[in-house]
Amino acid sequence: MYRLDDKHLEKAKEFARNNRIKKRCDNCYDRGYIGVNEQNMLIPCHKCVDLDKVMEDWKNYVAEIPELKAEFSDLFEEDETAE
């Protein structure tokens, strides 16, 4: 099972914080994310975060790092079929 490295998790948290659309949220306590799962992947808050922008930022970040691009290749497969 793949486990996301902590440095990449911190970057994902930054993406969630930067794409918040509400100032106050009782669901995530103003963090932008609810927590992490067993693969150490971020679970963004669906109430106060623009999930589309977070995913776009994450895809751009993953595209720059070969080891992540190999692990998250399914993110890029849907782009190829759309073209």
Side-chain angles (χ1 to χ4, degrees), residues 10-67:
E10 289 304 316
K11 197 67 172 172
K13 288 178 181 179
E14 180 183 321
F15 295 149
R17 283 191 299 267
N18 292 341
N19 289 300
R20 291 193 59 221
I21 51 179
K22 286 175 61 178
K23 292 184 182 205
R24 306 288 294 155
C25 181
D26 292 333
N27 196 38
C28 68
Y29 305 106
D30 306 327
R31 293 180 300 181
Y33 61 94
I34 297 170
V36 295
N37 64 12
E38 59 274 351
Q39 287 101 15
N40 206 32
M41 295 182 58
L42 190 75
I43 302 170
C45 179
H46 66 281
K47 287 190 173 186
C48 72
V49 173
D50 186 342
L51 297 177
D52 292 332
K53 287 183 181 177
V54 169
M55 283 305 296
E56 184 178 330
D57 288 347
W58 178 248
K59 283 172 68 173
N60 292 335
Y61 178 72
V62 167
E64 296 172 1
I65 302 170
E67 65 207 32

